[in-house]
Amino acid sequence: DSNVLFYLSDAVTQLLEHKEEYIQFGVIRYFAEYFSSVKNSNHILFREYSYIRATPHNRVSFIRVFWRCFRQIGKSGDLLSMLEFRSLLQLLCPDFPVEMVQSAARIALVDDAIDCLMSFSDFLYAFQLQFYYQEFLDSVLVIYHDLLSGKSPNTVIVPTSTSLEQLPSVATEENDKEEQQQDGVEPSTLAQCIDALCDRFKRSHPPRSCMREALEQTDKVSYYSFLMSLAKHETINQTIGALPSKADLLIDPEMDQELDKL
């Protein structure tokens, strides 16, 4: 499995970079603790952004750790800005990019300005969708803007996960302004293009049934309103497997016990 090789390679790299620190433990104990941390999802703490997004397990682990570390904000009912959420994310990953946080905020806020305040739960589920399915959502955004510009579904170029990596980010402020000035696109047309994308896409994507369901709810759909529907979809949340349902989001007896010890 390529993910096992990825972790083995990283474990060796970390050992060589910090051998003075780890050599006193013994190599066997070091590897045991490394893979134990991977299993327990603690391995992504304070690691670089390229690492925390390198595997599906790392992405799920980061989402889960972010939730558990800052769940108290949700319990207190505080509303935070996009930049404040970015600061929280950078406490766990120092080079976490602002663009990812902006994208999540646009999903959570939909039609509101990006400098509006957000609840922890609204941001968290939007962030989960954007972070876990980033490559797929970037492809959908390319398709969406092609349709918005008036291209026929037959002439829309469906990006692949490989070709998309060669493109610059399309989530620009100019594109956002363009979208706000228009009503959106036909849901059935977007659904047709997304179906073709799923046939070719080599990475994770939300279940097709959930995307079809979201697109059947309206006569016109914008990119971010579509993503907000996906972010709120419980089946997608269960598919990713990082967070509990919204009803249980602020309940974590294990973490409460740890906090009570402090």
Side-chain angles (χ1 to χ4, degrees):
D1 185 275
S2 61
N3 288 344
V4 173
L5 293 177
F6 168 81
Y7 291 120
L8 188 57
S9 173
D10 181 68
V12 171
T13 300
Q14 294 297 310
L15 178 61
L16 293 176
E17 288 182 358
H18 306 282
K19 57 185 177 182
E20 294 84 4
E21 179 182 348
Y22 294 132
I23 204 72
Q24 57 187 323
F25 299 151
V27 173
I28 294 175
R29 181 180 171 186
Y30 163 76
F31 278 106
E33 291 190 354
Y34 178 91
F35 283 101
S36 176
S37 71
V38 170
K39 180 182 177 182
N40 296 330
S41 297
N42 298 323
H43 63 300
I44 46 75
L45 280 169
F46 317 123
R47 292 296 303 269
E48 62 278 9
Y49 181 68
S50 60
Y51 180 81
I52 67 168
R53 66 189 295 273
T55 69
H57 175 66
N58 283 11
R59 296 188 190 200
V60 167
S61 298
F62 188 80
I63 294 164
R64 184 179 296 127
V65 167
F66 178 68
W67 159 59
R68 298 192 72 186
C69 284
F70 302 113
R71 179 179 59 100
Q72 291 300 120
I73 292 173
K75 290 188 75 171
S76 69
D78 291 340
L79 301 178
L80 301 182
S81 68
M82 183 272 294
L83 291 176
E84 288 172 321
F85 279 113
R86 182 202 183 191
S87 295
L88 295 180
L89 288 161
Q90 288 186 328
L91 290 175
L92 305 178
C93 173
D95 65 337
F96 201 94
V98 67
E99 293 80 9
M100 174 65 68
V101 191
Q102 288 172 335
S103 295
R106 289 188 179 104
I107 298 171
L109 295 168
V110 189
D111 297 323
D112 293 328
I114 198 170
D115 57 354
C116 289
L117 302 181
M118 294 165 278
S119 71
F120 180 70
S121 61
D122 283 350
F123 177 82
L124 182 61
Y125 286 106
F127 171 73
Q128 172 180 244
L129 182 81
Q130 179 64 43
F131 184 59
Y132 191 78
Y133 292 121
Q134 180 191 359
E135 293 81 6
F136 181 78
L137 299 184
D138 285 349
S139 294
V140 172
L141 186 55
V142 172
I143 291 170
Y144 176 80
H145 281 292
D146 276 354
L147 294 175
L148 202 61
S149 67
K151 287 187 179 180
S152 161
N154 297 326
T155 61
V156 169
I157 298 175
V158 178
T160 63
S161 53
T162 304
S163 67
L164 192 71
E165 292 172 357
Q166 315 301 322
L167 296 174
S169 173
V170 290
T172 62
E173 289 183 12
E174 184 178 339
N175 284 338
D176 290 331
K177 290 175 183 175
E178 178 187 358
E179 178 181 335
Q180 290 168 5
Q181 293 167 359
Q182 303 191 41
D183 294 330
V185 300
E186 293 289 339
S188 59
T189 306
L190 182 58
Q192 175 187 337
C193 294
I194 287 177
D195 215 38
L197 173 63
C198 290
D199 289 339
R200 300 172 55 185
F201 206 73
K202 296 177 181 177
R203 300 192 186 187
S204 298
H205 59 74
R208 297 191 197 207
S209 59
C210 298
M211 292 190 283
R212 291 194 196 102
E213 184 181 325
L215 290 170
E216 288 170 356
Q217 296 175 2
T218 180
D219 295 331
K220 286 277 190 178
V221 64
S222 70
Y223 175 73
Y224 287 110
S225 64
F226 171 52
L227 264 54
M228 187 55 177
S229 296
L230 298 183
K232 291 180 175 180
H233 205 296
E234 182 54 29
T235 301
I236 292 177
N237 182 47
Q238 292 173 1
T239 299
I240 296 172
L243 301 174
S245 66
K246 194 165 186 177
D248 297 328
L249 186 68
L250 305 181
I251 303 171
D252 189 354
E254 184 180 339
M255 180 60 74
D256 287 339
Q257 288 178 0
E258 293 298 319
L259 290 173
D260 288 341
K261 294 176 184 177
L262 299 177

